[in-house]
Amino acid sequence: MASTQDALYRRIDLDLSWSERDLPERVRTKHVHRLHPYLGKFIPQLVEALLARHVPRGRVLDPFAGSGTTLVQALESGLDAAGSDVAPFNCLLMRVKTREYNPFVLESELRDALARLEAFEGARPEGPATSFVRDWYAPKAAAELLFFRGLVDEYEHADVLRVVLARAARSARRTTHFDLDFPRTPQRSPYWCHKHRRECRPVGEARRFLRRYALDTLARVREFARVRARGREAVVLHGDARELEFGGAYDGVVTSPPYPGLIDYHEQHRYAYELLALDDRRELELGAAERGVSARAIGEYVDGIAGVFANARESLRRGARVVIVINDRRELYPEILDRAGLSIETRYRRHVNRRTGRRAGEFFEDVIVAG
């Protein structure tokens, strides 16, 4: 006979288990949640439901903030928020998503940059290009990306243009259409495309992506401005969450930590680090795929995650809940939370048809509530 604890672990929360028909990709990636692709993020509808259940008011913290889903959804739900991440590109993305803008100034700057790009006639990069740019971009695409990069610092909303540049750089790489997430080698010749079921050619320019994503960014920022709560703010902290001073007193945590041995978050956005000259701090990633899942790697993961939660606990109000979304198939989190000075109060499961993006991938994940 199964124990009560086992039964609790297996309980599926149907209110948090949506089908593809219930939540199609365009809904899962509403407004600024889709400013830039990001593997492994949880969906905003899940965050919205968890905030309503466990942090209905006040200020929420996400120490593994990633692309900022918790921060954005907190602002929409009427809460203040703070989030941290060790990856500079993630912090850039969060700042752009959560900032309040003068829409007229933002549109004026984006359209001015696009007009200057339209007048650009260079077919090859001016000046030296890095080996990454030479390898992964056709000469015309490289020239257009580097030209646009040269404009960025002239504008008040430079960070918005940087995100547009990164998104365009992702799409303009010499890679197959069906392998945009982690391409291994540059694709320089025509190929049979599994996505389009025909022969395709590698991308030769970046201009059309820069134009498309600049206008899409403007539309998404405007859409978010209509639904975000007034008077609420989000703070983005860049650094190692084991050591950061989170400041203030938080009414709860809602987070989805990295999975051990699954994704290298810096490598995921290598093009952005190369083009934007961001500081690569991958040695501080917890659970990076490069480290694998050996006993030593799992031990380091447990140490690191426990250190983050122990640090975050110091900034929580009395009675605050820590809500963690994770597929804990190795049963690591009872030990992690115990070492962080937290106790599991409840634990339920949700069926995941997909996270974000179009790739299928059914599985179950745990929602752990601790205090």
Side-chain angles (χ1 to χ4, degrees):
M1 182 175 179
S3 69
T4 303
Q5 188 76 351
D6 288 341
L8 178 65
Y9 281 16
R10 289 198 301 269
R11 181 165 59 88
I12 306 299
D13 193 318
L14 297 178
D15 290 335
L16 301 180
S17 301
W18 297 279
S19 68
E20 180 70 13
R21 184 174 62 182
D22 294 332
L23 281 179
E25 196 266 350
R26 60 179 175 78
V27 176
R28 296 195 303 272
T29 55
K30 60 181 180 175
H31 53 69
V32 294
H33 289 296
R34 189 57 187 275
L35 280 193
H36 191 286
Y38 189 96
L39 293 178
K41 62 184 178 181
F42 51 3
I43 61 174
Q45 290 79 11
L46 175 60
V47 175
E48 182 179 19
L50 295 177
L51 289 173
R53 288 186 186 187
H54 303 291
V55 196
R57 63 185 64 85
R59 194 177 184 210
V60 65
L61 172 67
D62 186 349
F64 300 102
S67 66
T69 303
T70 296
L71 276 64
V72 171
Q73 207 53 48
L75 293 175
E76 187 174 336
S77 299
L79 287 79
D80 292 316
S84 68
D85 206 281
V86 74
F89 180 72
N90 296 357
C91 292
L92 168 66
L93 190 54
M94 284 190 275
R95 289 195 301 270
V96 169
K97 287 181 176 181
T98 57
R99 180 179 171 182
E100 291 191 83
Y101 299 93
N102 179 321
F104 302 105
V105 174
L106 179 60
E107 179 174 7
S108 175
E109 291 192 342
L110 287 173
R111 292 193 180 278
D112 184 72
L114 290 178
R116 295 168 69 181
L117 175 66
E118 197 63 34
F120 175 65
E121 297 180 353
R124 291 187 175 276
E126 295 181 9
T130 65
S131 59
F132 179 89
V133 172
R134 290 194 303 271
D135 289 343
W136 283 97
Y137 298 97
K140 189 173 190 295
E144 291 164 348
L145 290 169
L146 295 176
F147 174 79
F148 194 85
R149 184 184 68 179
L151 304 178
V152 165
D153 288 334
E154 299 180 25
Y155 295 99
E156 175 185 343
H157 297 98
D159 279 351
V160 179
L161 273 72
R162 290 187 178 99
V163 170
V164 170
L165 174 63
R167 190 175 173 190
R170 178 182 184 273
S171 295
R173 288 171 299 174
R174 285 170 160 160
T175 184
T176 57
H177 292 134
F178 51 84
D179 192 21
L180 281 171
D181 292 335
F182 289 108
R184 293 177 177 82
T185 57
Q187 181 72 35
R188 299 175 181 273
S189 58
Y191 59 94
W192 175 254
C193 182
H194 298 289
K195 178 179 179 180
H196 298 118
R197 308 301 298 172
R198 58 178 170 81
E199 185 177 86
C200 288
R201 294 178 177 275
V203 173
E205 64 165 14
R207 189 178 310 229
R208 62 190 171 98
F209 296 115
L210 289 162
R211 184 186 307 110
R212 178 194 305 171
Y213 296 146
L215 297 178
D216 181 71
T217 295
L218 179 62
R220 290 180 179 278
V221 166
R222 284 174 166 170
E223 182 184 351
F224 182 49
R226 290 193 291 268
V227 299
R228 68 184 292 166
R230 293 185 178 181
R232 298 299 181 183
E233 67 172 1
V235 176
V236 177
L237 303 169
H238 179 211
D240 188 333
R242 290 167 289 189
E243 302 173 352
L244 277 172
E245 292 186 10
F246 292 115
Y250 296 91
D251 298 281
V253 168
V254 174
T255 190
S256 183
Y259 288 56
L262 187 62
I263 297 174
D264 292 319
Y265 287 92
H266 284 72
E267 188 62 28
Q268 179 187 161
H269 303 122
R270 172 76 181 279
Y271 47 87
Y273 284 86
E274 293 281 349
L275 282 166
L276 301 177
L278 298 173
D279 183 22
D280 192 321
R281 305 185 68 185
R282 69 181 65 207
E283 75 280 359
L284 296 176
E285 280 189 25
L286 297 177
E290 183 180 61
R291 295 194 181 96
V293 289
S294 66
R296 178 178 179 180
I298 293 297
E300 291 174 348
Y301 174 84
V302 169
D303 290 343
I305 301 293
V308 171
F309 283 120
N311 187 30
R313 184 173 62 86
E314 299 299 319
S315 297
L316 297 180
R317 296 185 191 277
R318 185 174 182 179
R321 298 294 177 266
V322 176
V323 183
I324 303 163
V325 179
I326 189 79
N327 180 5
D328 188 26
R329 63 186 182 85
R330 292 183 175 86
E331 288 292 322
L332 302 176
Y333 275 77
E335 177 186 349
I336 286 171
L337 292 171
D338 181 65
R339 289 173 57 177
L342 296 164
S343 300
I344 296 178
E345 297 180 355
T346 187
R347 176 170 177 167
Y348 42 93
R349 309 199 82 193
R350 62 181 294 264
H351 176 255
V352 184
N353 183 55
R354 302 183 187 187
R355 275 207 167 201
T356 54
R358 295 183 175 86
R359 290 192 173 188
E362 282 190 273
F363 60 97
F364 292 89
E365 64 187 3
D366 304 282
V367 178
I368 301 170
V369 182

